Amino acid sequence: KAGVTQTPRYLIKTRGQQVTLSCSPISGHRSVSWYQQTPGQGLQFLFEYFSETQRNKGNFPGRFSGRQFSNSRSEMNVSTLELGDSALYLCASCPSGTYQETQYFGPGTRLLVL
Amino acid sequence: GDSVTQMEGPVTLSEEAFLTINCTYTATGYPSLFWYVQYPGEGLQLLLKATKADDKGSNKGFEATYRKETTSFHLEKGSVQVSDSAVYFCALRATGNQFYFGTGTSLTVIP
């Protein structure tokens, strides 16, 4: 089975722009979660989608949004980029998101905001 | 709310030394507990997990036991190798909730 894939792998943007990141989960997985990883804050949860519905949401401003499509692929969007948004954005999937399931991570998208 | 407290690093050990990375948790329910590992430039990979009290997860020589009485899930390995150099994350998930990750512990093993 193919793993979680994320595109693009690297991205450079300037302040004020917006960006869309994509995540394709493992085939058959319906839960997709997004995380922001920075050296100072560690791994921070952004949101989780299951069957096209946002199920959980972290403590991020409204500039961060996401969606999930009927094939379980997910996108996250960041509008009005700030320097502090520079980070590694990780996507993870699992079959249905029950507490016993393992989350499988993609390689991440590294975003640099100039 | 749910949370994970993880031993701060960085940790530097000589090859074949014994490794312990402490992890304690707070959870309102009965969570599953996980250890993930992240190698440079990569995403997180599951190392091991335990889904109920007294379960022991193990993989690649690493072990951790789910201790409900001490709310702990410490990671151990008897003899580390240079290839174990990575960042290790403790995590929990309770039913209906998101994953909560610790801050990560960087391990460097020197020959």
Side-chain angles (χ1 to χ4, degrees):
Chain A
K1 247 184 195 180
V4 178
T5 58
Q6 292 186 245
T7 56
R9 291 292 311 277
Y10 303 92
L11 209 47
I12 299 176
K13 292 285 187 180
T14 56
R15 277 182 299 173
Q17 287 187 310
Q18 75 164 15
V19 66
T20 299
L21 312 181
S22 180
C23 171
S24 292
I26 291 172
S27 177
H29 286 193
R30 295 163 64 195
S31 167
V32 174
S33 296
W34 288 90
Y35 297 86
Q36 181 194 67
Q37 186 177 25
T38 59
Q41 300 294 320
L43 208 64
Q44 294 187 283
F45 173 75
L46 281 154
F47 26 66
E48 178 195 8
Y49 285 87
F50 178 76
S51 292
E52 302 179 67
T53 301
Q54 188 178 85
R55 184 156 69 176
N56 285 298
K57 187 176 188 305
N59 190 26
F60 275 80
R63 301 186 296 107
F64 292 82
S65 62
R67 59 178 175 168
Q68 186 180 34
F69 302 95
S70 58
N71 62 358
S72 294
R73 190 176 70 84
S74 177
E75 289 181 347
M76 69 162 280
N77 184 76
V78 187
S79 63
T80 319
L81 283 166
E82 301 177 359
L83 295 179
D85 297 333
S86 294
L88 180 66
Y89 290 87
L90 293 166
C91 165
S93 76
C94 56
S96 58
T98 64
Y99 76 104
Q100 294 172 317
E101 289 175 355
T102 299
Q103 273 196 337
Y104 295 88
F105 282 80
T109 294
R110 188 163 295 281
L111 172 65
L112 177 62
V113 181
L114 301 176
Chain B
D2 296 354
S3 67
V4 174
T5 301
Q6 188 175 338
M7 170 177 142
E8 291 204 14
V11 174
T12 302
L13 294 173
S14 297
E15 208 166 20
E16 299 183 4
F18 184 85
L19 169 71
T20 300
I21 301 178
N22 290 338
C23 171
T24 57
Y25 68 89
T26 302
T28 52
Y30 299 94
S32 291
L33 301 174
F34 304 79
W35 276 101
Y36 280 84
V37 59
Q38 185 177 32
Y39 298 101
E42 299 183 13
L44 277 68
Q45 302 173 25
L46 177 72
L47 183 58
L48 54 84
K49 73 177 188 182
T51 59
K52 60 183 188 296
D54 299 325
D55 268 2
K56 178 188 282 190
S58 61
N59 185 28
K60 299 180 182 179
F62 291 89
E63 291 184 342
T65 301
Y66 188 162
R67 302 280 188 204
K68 190 166 181 295
E69 62 277 11
T70 55
T71 62
S72 65
F73 193 54
H74 304 322
L75 182 68
E76 296 182 337
K77 186 175 185 183
S79 177
V80 293
Q81 305 300 312
V82 172
S83 57
D84 294 327
S85 298
V87 180
Y88 294 81
F89 292 88
C90 183
L92 72 80
R93 184 171 194 167
T95 302
N97 293 330
Q98 67 196 57
F99 264 78
Y100 291 87
F101 284 85
T103 52
T105 300
S106 175
L107 169 67
T108 300
V109 180
I110 54 178

